[in-house]
Amino acid sequence: MKITIDRDRCCGAGQCVLAAPDVFDQDDEEGLVIVLQESPAPEQHQAVREAASVCPTATIEVTE
Amino acid sequence: MSVVVVGASAAGFATAEGLRRNGYDGALTLVGAEPELPYDRPPLSKQVLTGAWEADRIRLCRPDKAIELGLDLRLGTPAAGLDPATRHLALTDGSVLPYEQLVLATGVVPRPFPGTDGLRGLRMLRTLEDSLALRADLAPGARLVVIGAGFLGTEIAAAARTLGAEVWLVEPEPVPLGIAVGTAVGEFVAGLHREQGVHLHTGPAAAVRDFKVNAGTVEAVVLADGTELRCDLAVVAIGSVPATGWLAGSGLTLGDGIECDAHCSAAPGVYAAGDVASWFHERAGIRVRLEHRTNATEQGLYVAKALLGQTGEPFTPVPYFWSDQYDTKIVAFGLLRGADEVRVVEGAIADGEFVALYRKGNRLTGVLGVRRAKSVRQWRALLAAGSGWDEALAISPK
């Protein structure tokens, strides 16, 4: 699994961090997404798919 | 089973995608009033309006995605009527679609300024076409009056200033966004606009009384105190109304939007999602209708699961919204309107860097921040738990 993000789209809702806290974080100021693991371990995959689907601005793209 | 989704914007598209992701493989029709495939609206008053983004960048669904999802697309055909008893939906092109499950996601339409029908030079902003047309007319030095200083009006003013237009922002309330976020934060937003050279007129004297019109074209906006603001263009941004006119006579309960139960159901086999849906939010204990981009996705995904019988839980999100004003991003969780108190618990509004909590009665109802987005999110858990005010303050750093 590979995660790519279009950071300009991010609205800082932090939904991804709620869904997959080990894989995503936010910067302190604007709350924009930070990817902690670009190729997450298999046990994270379901959470990452969930994070991508709940992102309100379709910022997260997951390739499997 | 057959599912018809009415409304091909964020909520409708999220519902359709959610249905497929959750295993629904039956017939799926997506009806849209606009001829466009689903696209994202927030950038229309931000990046698209300033020209920072090409229109193509806001697509939520490309043609290959629509095929992959197996969508039967009926675009450019607004819905015309509904008979929930026989489960039939009529479209304006004369076709009638039978359905087993229906999702209503028709959104809102801009509230028109009374008596201005057909006036040239007076715009509204809801669609991609509206945004591109406005952008085309906002040459540097163009004189623009923005009527209404809510989120849309303030964002249009900011984008227009960025483009070098001369901007007047008029609002009959004492401060911009005051109803939405409270007076103190509203004053902060007013300051951002004044710093950028926007001519801000607020309070009862700034209510729009009239328009000066020459040969059908608006030449000036006249305020209650007689001030005449000459302009090349005026934009009306005085709120929106749920797009429910076509449902008159359907038997659905239409109040402020389509009234649904706590599970976003409006009638047997009928759900609603997004800006048009008014539902009973069980944790908040009140009926809620949200015009937030994030809610469109969240509610669409919820309705997909509810429709498929995959969740028995009521829909109780913690609402989230953001607004871009120049280089300042405002972010907020919760229900902020009508708060009894707004208290800054981190930073200071005067420094342009703060977190404020919102109280109604003895409960924490919202949190808003500027340049402290990560801190803001840390309050979300308390909102999700329905925290009391004292409990929230006890853990705050100040």
Side-chain angles (χ1 to χ4, degrees):
Chain A
M1 173 181 275
K2 176 96 170 71
I3 299 170
T4 35
I5 55 162
D6 179 355
R7 204 155 186 261
D8 285 353
R9 301 184 74 96
C10 179
C11 70
Q15 300 278 33
C16 55
V17 189
L18 294 167
D22 294 332
V23 179
F24 299 100
D25 197 1
Q26 290 174 279
D27 72 49
D28 293 344
E29 192 170 296
E30 292 210 296
L32 302 186
V33 62
I34 295 167
V35 179
L36 302 173
Q37 306 177 38
E38 283 184 6
S39 303
E43 62 268 23
Q44 295 291 341
H45 288 188
Q46 192 48 41
V48 170
R49 286 184 207 110
E50 177 75 12
S53 78
V54 297
C55 173
T57 52
T59 295
I60 302 165
E61 195 181 335
V62 177
T63 342
E64 299 194 55
Chain B
M1 183 154 72
S2 67
V3 179
V4 174
V5 178
V6 190
S9 195
F13 182 64
T15 307
E17 234 189 345
L19 285 167
R20 290 303 191 214
R21 191 177 307 115
N22 291 296
Y24 173 65
D25 60 3
L28 182 52
T29 305
L30 185 62
V31 176
E34 290 176 66
E36 307 276 346
L37 278 166
Y39 62 85
D40 200 17
R41 290 189 201 278
L44 298 182
S45 56
K46 305 177 176 83
Q47 297 93 335
V48 173
L49 190 55
T50 61
W53 287 10
E54 294 298 324
D56 197 47
R57 188 136 181 216
I58 64 169
R59 302 286 165 205
L60 294 173
C61 175
R62 292 172 189 286
D64 56 337
K65 179 77 175 176
I67 292 166
E68 184 191 317
L69 290 172
L71 299 179
D72 176 6
L73 292 170
R74 307 292 179 97
L75 300 176
T77 51
L82 174 66
D83 181 357
T86 63
R87 302 201 180 193
H88 283 81
L89 173 80
L91 304 185
T92 47
D93 66 358
S95 55
V96 174
L97 305 178
Y99 65 83
E100 285 168 63
Q101 300 284 335
L102 182 73
V103 181
L104 301 172
T106 46
V108 294
V109 289
R111 185 189 302 280
F113 198 95
T116 58
D117 208 22
L119 279 187
R120 284 192 300 273
L122 195 63
R123 307 289 184 80
M124 296 200 280
L125 175 54
R126 178 66 184 170
T127 65
L128 175 58
E129 194 184 352
D130 295 338
S131 179
L132 295 175
L134 186 58
R135 156 122 181 84
D137 288 337
L138 284 175
R143 296 166 64 94
L144 172 73
V145 176
V146 180
I147 301 168
F151 286 108
L152 184 63
T154 52
E155 290 190 353
I156 292 170
R161 276 306 288 156
T162 305
L163 288 167
E166 188 83 353
V167 179
W168 286 260
L169 180 58
V170 302
E171 166 62 54
E173 292 292 326
V175 294
L177 296 175
I179 294 171
V181 300
T183 303
V185 178
E187 295 280 12
F188 167 71
V189 174
L192 296 177
H193 284 272
R194 288 201 182 96
E195 274 168 31
Q196 298 290 333
V198 170
H199 310 287
L200 185 61
H201 294 255
T202 56
V208 172
R209 187 178 77 193
D210 207 356
F211 296 91
K212 281 194 93 171
V213 178
N214 182 14
T217 302
V218 171
E219 284 195 325
V221 177
V222 185
L223 304 184
D225 64 1
T227 305
E228 271 187 37
L229 305 174
R230 299 194 68 78
C231 60
D232 301 306
L233 210 58
V235 180
V236 175
I238 55 173
S240 332
V241 287
T244 56
W246 66 282
L247 289 167
S250 67
L252 296 185
T253 306
L254 305 174
D256 175 34
I258 299 164
E259 292 198 354
C260 302
D261 62 15
H263 299 259
C264 304
S265 174
V270 181
Y271 292 85
D275 295 9
V276 78
S278 158
W279 86 101
F280 186 75
H281 190 302
E282 279 198 0
R283 189 180 57 248
I286 50 170
R287 182 162 284 287
V288 172
R289 185 177 70 81
L290 298 175
E291 295 179 6
H292 298 343
R293 174 61 182 83
T294 40
N295 187 62
T297 297
E298 222 171 332
Q299 198 164 20
L301 293 174
Y302 170 86
V303 163
K305 284 188 178 172
L307 187 157
L308 295 172
Q310 294 176 355
T311 178
E313 298 294 315
F315 183 56
T316 56
V318 177
Y320 173 83
F321 69 81
W322 82 100
S323 178
D324 292 327
Q325 313 269 343
Y326 309 98
D327 61 350
T328 297
K329 186 186 284 289
I330 298 168
V331 300
F333 285 103
L335 296 166
L336 280 60
R337 267 170 204 265
D340 296 322
E341 181 184 352
V342 181
R343 191 181 298 191
V344 174
V345 293
E346 268 189 61
I349 293 180
D351 298 338
E353 191 177 325
F354 63 93
V355 175
L357 300 185
Y358 289 68
R359 171 181 72 80
K360 188 154 192 173
N362 59 7
R363 305 206 77 77
L364 173 72
T365 55
V367 54
L368 175 147
V370 170
R371 293 194 181 85
R372 295 282 180 106
K374 198 166 171 180
S375 293
V376 169
R377 202 191 76 233
Q378 286 160 4
W379 294 95
R380 187 190 180 282
L382 284 183
L383 290 165
S387 166
W389 179 250
D390 293 339
E391 182 194 342
L393 288 182
I395 66 151
S396 88
K398 177 168 136 186

